[in-house]
Amino acid sequence: MNKHPAFQANSPRTVDEITQGRRLRRMRKADWSRRLVQENQLTVNDLIWPIFLCEGTNRREDINAMPGVQRFSVDMAVREAERAAKLGIPAIATFANIDPDLRDDAGSGILDADNLINRATRAIKNAVPEIGMITDVALDPFTSHGHDGILRDGIIVNDETVEQITKGAVLQAAAGADIIAPSDMMDGRIGAIRDALDQNGFQDVAIMAYATKFASAFYGPYREAIGTSGRLKGDKKTYYIDPANTDEAVREAEQDLAEGADSLMVKPGLPYLDIIRRLKDTFAMPTFAYQVSGEYTMIKAAGANGWIDEERVMMETLLAFKRAGCDGILTYFAPIVAGRLKAGS
Ligand code: PBG
């Protein structure tokens, strides 16, 4: 029964008249045709696996806020690296939960050639030389206050922090890191690290700049993973980028490239696909995204509740990074995805 007889609800034109005979569904009609026109693909070569390290031997510790992710003692990390290499994952990135007694105001633990990160790098490179080792260089795992910089009178001091992480970066390269990834967003860090690496004979060690790291709430679960959640006072807004900004992200990336970065990273990932596309179009450089802890956890939590199909959402998010222009993605899903891709599903 039509309650509004005044409305004409049917178009006077046929669909073919409207589309001029153009029907975009034609190429979607079958699996073979969808495969033929598929523009982007995710392969194992796109994956970088971030892993967490802890002290001890034969240890695997669960992380409450990141179901399915564990911290590994160095010997276990070596086994995991072997597993990753067998799966064809090109590189892993390490993050350390440092003993609280070894943390101080200045993050001096980064200057220890035998700190947890460097011991893991040596052990992994020794056992699995074919896997790429990416080490995050930042003070936050080593500071008592959880900030990425040296804190003085409530201010994160830029230049001293750069000196500190530059020394740390050289020690990481000496331990065998293939790529140094500075994640602290201090000004001048890329150039200072490049100079120091070159001076010490590490011309072949590359720099992946966390060029555009946003002051994001998506890092929450990671803070539990490296034991900084209870420590962090205040926020990181004086050094990470405001999530509202995109031109500023372009300027940051431009600066890092001018200082010698070999590749760019955008972090977090999925909420920042526009930044990935802009950087790829603007600089045509290798561009990576970090699908961070909060992104991972949201998918796991909704999946565990049966609210989404976890596997399909996982694959769809990773494909979205490719579509946005990424050359690779740091993702906690890496071994699961690699296994799935290998099985051909
Ligand atoms: C800081 C750092 C962070 C992450 C990696 N290195 C963010 C932070 O603590 O502010 C986040 C990674 C994640 O959330 O998965 N150097």
Side-chain angles (χ1 to χ4, degrees), residues 95 136 138 140 148 183 213 218-219 222-223 236 240 267 290 292-293 332:
F95 297 88
D136 188 273
D140 63 308
D148 293 40
S183 69
K213 186 165 177 183
F218 283 94
Y219 309 140
Y222 165 92
R223 306 252 167 93
K236 300 191 174 187
Y240 295 170
K267 180 179 179 180
Y290 196 147
V292 300
S293 55
Y332 300 102

Side-chain angles (χ1 to χ4, degrees), residues 113-183:
D114 285 320
N115 65 30
L116 184 53
I117 295 172
N118 295 331
R119 272 182 280 134
T121 303
R122 260 187 230 110
I124 291 171
K125 266 286 144 181
N126 191 33
V128 205
E130 69 273 24
I131 204 157
M133 276 295 295
I134 303 174
T135 53
D136 188 273
V137 65
L139 296 183
D140 63 308
F142 301 103
T143 52
S144 45
H145 44 69
H147 277 289
D148 293 40
I150 296 173
L151 184 64
R152 184 156 308 123
D153 302 326
I155 287 173
I156 300 294
V157 289
N158 191 90
D159 301 14
E160 277 171 63
T161 301
V162 170
E163 274 179 44
Q164 191 88 319
I165 60 166
T166 297
K167 289 179 189 142
V170 172
L171 293 172
Q172 291 182 353
D178 299 291
I179 298 182
I180 303 288
S183 69

Side-chain angles (χ1 to χ4, degrees), residues 38-49:
Q38 186 169 67
E39 297 173 41
N40 293 286
Q41 228 180 350
L42 180 74
T43 79
V44 71
N45 299 328
D46 300 314
L47 303 173
I48 298 171
W49 185 24

Side-chain angles (χ1 to χ4, degrees), residues 266-287:
V266 174
K267 180 179 179 180
L270 211 60
Y272 296 84
L273 292 182
D274 58 324
I275 308 288
I276 295 168
R277 172 49 65 197
R278 257 194 104 178
L279 296 193
K280 190 64 179 177
D281 288 347
T282 308
F283 302 111
M285 286 295 289
T287 305

